[in-house]
Amino acid sequence: AAGVIQSPRHLIKEKRETATLKCYPIPRHDTVYWYQQGPGQDPQFLISFYEKMQSDKGSIPDRFSAQQFSDYHSELNMSSLELGDSALYFCASSASGQPQHFGDGTRLSIL
Amino acid sequence: SQQGEEDPQALSIQEGENATMNCSYKTSINNLQWYRQNSGRGLVHLILIRSNEREKHSGRLRVTLDTSKKSSSLLITASRAADTASYFCATEDNNAGNMLTFGGGTRLMVKP
């Protein structure tokens, strides 16, 4: 069965650079979520989209933005990167009333 | 912010033994879910229990929910080395859309 696809799997950036993470949800899933998981931490909700419209917002820094496109893929844009942004970034998708399915994540390392 | 605590933070058992992990949460919830995460990988959904349910089974997994104590437990019976992973509980709150709020996770090691 198709799963949530995230790219890239690994990304290395320097401080103050920008990064774009991509997520391709499971077909026919109407909601996409982004989570951040720091080293040894539990995942923290960042933002979600329902039918391409932002639906909920969590602890997402102002330096980050996200959008969902007409083909339902989503991108998380991160600017002015800081050392503390080093983390695993997960995308998840779900159909209405169903559990969220997670991708394997993008490991972002800031040097 | 962290929803609650998981207990224990780490658990080491022998293959064949049972593993019990506990989770507490703070808010009023729609449901509570348990996820598994292998090191550095994505989270895999294991089981969902709704706020009006008290117990649920799926294969070797048994989940209980006590909404009066705002706590849940996950029991893995007849553990296998392949069960080695981190286990997280996550809640969908009544007033917070469909976002998940995760607990701290229990690192389970099953020794062959």
Side-chain angles (χ1 to χ4, degrees):
Chain A
V4 176
I5 306 297
Q6 290 187 247
S7 68
R9 288 297 312 279
H10 302 274
L11 188 59
I12 299 174
K13 291 285 185 178
E14 296 192 355
K15 286 192 298 184
R16 293 180 288 280
E17 287 191 322
T18 61
T20 296
L21 310 185
K22 295 186 179 183
C23 169
Y24 297 85
I26 293 172
R28 292 179 294 282
H29 279 194
D30 54 22
T31 309
V32 167
Y33 311 80
W34 286 97
Y35 293 84
Q36 177 192 57
Q37 186 179 29
Q41 303 295 312
D42 49 293
Q44 298 286 327
F45 171 73
L46 294 178
I47 195 167
S48 62
F49 293 86
Y50 171 72
E51 286 292 344
K52 294 164 279 186
M53 299 289 290
Q54 181 183 310
S55 57
D56 289 302
K57 204 169 183 180
S59 50
I60 183 169
D62 292 341
R63 299 177 290 107
F64 295 5
S65 65
Q67 56 184 322
Q68 188 176 25
F69 294 85
S70 57
D71 64 353
Y72 288 86
H73 94 274
S74 178
E75 295 183 2
L76 178 65
N77 300 293
M78 311 159 73
S79 62
S80 302
L81 288 167
E82 302 172 356
L83 293 177
D85 296 328
S86 294
L88 266 170
Y89 290 84
F90 289 108
C91 173
S93 72
S94 70
S96 293
Q98 298 300 311
Q100 297 178 28
H101 294 262
F102 283 75
D104 278 341
T106 293
R107 182 175 295 280
L108 176 64
S109 298
I110 309 301
L111 303 179
Chain B
S1 62
Q2 189 168 319
Q3 167 71 298
E5 297 290 327
E6 287 217 22
D7 167 36
Q9 291 189 327
L11 181 61
S12 181
I13 59 174
Q14 293 293 136
E15 226 173 7
E17 293 180 338
N18 296 341
T20 299
M21 291 161 269
N22 302 296
C23 162
S24 62
Y25 58 92
K26 296 176 181 174
T27 60
S28 179
I29 63 171
N30 288 327
N31 62 64
L32 185 143
Q33 304 175 41
W34 284 89
Y35 282 82
R36 165 200 167 114
Q37 183 179 34
N38 286 0
S39 180
R41 301 297 300 274
L43 295 116
V44 176
H45 182 262
L46 296 176
I47 195 166
L48 180 152
I49 186 165
R50 301 193 188 282
S51 59
N52 60 352
E53 297 176 309
R54 292 297 167 259
E55 188 171 311
K56 202 161 183 180
H57 297 255
S58 176
R60 292 184 296 113
L61 305 180
R62 173 178 168 254
V63 169
T64 63
L65 179 65
D66 187 335
T67 53
S68 66
K69 295 181 180 177
K70 288 187 164 56
S71 67
S72 173
S73 68
L74 171 68
L75 168 67
I76 303 175
T77 60
S79 64
R80 305 166 182 168
D83 294 330
T84 294
S86 290
Y87 291 83
F88 291 89
C89 72
T91 56
E92 273 191 26
D93 298 345
N94 276 341
N95 301 310
N98 295 323
M99 57 176 272
L100 293 175
T101 304
F102 284 84
T106 294
R107 294 187 309 279
L108 174 66
M109 175 174 288
V110 181
K111 300 175 186 176

